Amino acid sequence: MDTLRFELSSASFTSAVTASSLHSQSRYFFSSVQLGRVGSSSPAITSVSRTTVNEICTADELHYVPVPNSDWRVALWRYLPSPKAPKRNHPLLLLSGIGTNAVTYDLSPECSFARSMSGSGFDTWILELRGAGLSSLSVDTKLGKGNNQQRIVSNLLENFISVSERLENVLDGGSKILGMQDRLSKRAGDFKQRFELIPHYNWDFDNYLEEDVPSAMDYVRTQTKSKDGKLLAVGHSMGGILLYALLSRCGFKGMDSGLAGVATLASTFDYSSSGTLLKYLLPMKEPAQAINLPIMPIDTMLAMAHPLMCRPPYALSWLTANISAPQMMDPEVIEKLVLNSLSTVPVKLLLQLTTAVDHGGLRDRTGTFCYKDHISKTNVPILALAGDWDIICPPDAVYDTVKLIPEHLATYKVVGSPGGPHYGHQDLISGRTARNEVYPLITRFLQQQDES
């Protein structure tokens, strides 16, 4: 990693919270810090500590971009192009899935999609949407009186602790070998320290689409100064849905999307005709609305479940199958994914995404705009990849969107072979064989669009 430069400004201390720091502390006070490569002419302004950046960010640069109409700033991890690779005409923006951060694209040296792309000459940027990773929230974090939403979440976590204790007693006879109950108690305690932030977790999919993504694209465009002002983009899971939605909206409005080419991995507008496990989310929709549940602590819940996913007696091993096909990801890589790449998300976001499982597919927050109805109006080349053993977004779900794209612009491929290897939801990025089988497909497509 390139040397980073930190310069403390003389400005007064400000209160800022990074999404990653919320795992361990309720409030952080940092001075304004400049972060950039040595010799950089325009380092980005950030409010994270030197220690936090060094421990978390594996990129060459870390940039921050204010999000309109909010107190959030999204984070952008930048991987500079290799000087040994051909010079590219367009920067590359990567978008990850729901509740995940930049780590998903850089889990290890052996499965780093971001490093592979920068090694191929692309100026590569990973967007961490509000609430994810090192995105930051400027708020007054003094603890206030508890409100009803805080009590709801507190009760949810206390119930998890109680269930985990009973489950642990059944599985290991009360010997607490798994340490599950203790782990969850600590996570719940850490989480309760950030209750004051719950009111700020109030965004939905359309906020990402209309505010976070355009702000990031404008910033990358300004920093890189591509000749035609366009970007290339890759999106995994919800990240791909965001790119599809951007193309759909722009096609509907007759606007230029600002994208020269798009690759989507395990993404679709419409899961309704497939056998996806996401359909099991639908029964949760009305209860969540009825009790006014504000957030879903995905990070806390999966951290609690991890010992039972990856260690004997493997009571929750079925959760691993949602992430990866058997033997496709090393256990330590799955552990890093589960423990270091997830974040809390608003239920408001989840509720809008559940429309993708209903007939007609994903809709805007008003319920009147069906995104798949307008993807046919796009003029941007698209590569759509599906994993043959993906049970979250099966190939038939991916194809449900691809078939609506103008045929001369769409390239569709199911990755995986009858005799193996097979690809689950995360394997397209992090599987053992992704570097040799998947990355080249994406690189060739991006090269073609970059040269067009």
Side-chain angles (χ1 to χ4, degrees), residues 1 31 61 68 99 108 118 135 138 149 179 184 190 221 261 271 282 299 342 350-351 356 365 384 400 402 419:
M1 177 171 159
S31 61
E61 296 177 3
S108 74
S118 65
S135 63
S138 298
Q149 287 187 329
L184 182 58
D190 292 341
R221 189 179 294 115
Y271 297 86
L282 286 178
D299 48 353
L342 299 174
L350 295 174
L351 292 177
R365 68 169 65 97
D400 192 84
V402 174

Side-chain angles (χ1 to χ4, degrees), residues 36-55:
R37 291 186 75 216
V38 170
S40 173
S41 60
S42 57
I45 301 298
T46 174
S47 294
V48 295
S49 72
R50 181 188 320 217
T51 300
T52 299
V53 171
N54 285 344
E55 290 178 349

Side-chain angles (χ1 to χ4, degrees), residues 165 167-180 182:
E165 185 173 22
L167 182 59
E168 192 170 36
N169 286 334
V170 170
L171 294 175
D172 64 15
S175 62
K176 299 189 182 297
I177 296 174
L178 294 171
M180 193 168 95
D182 291 339

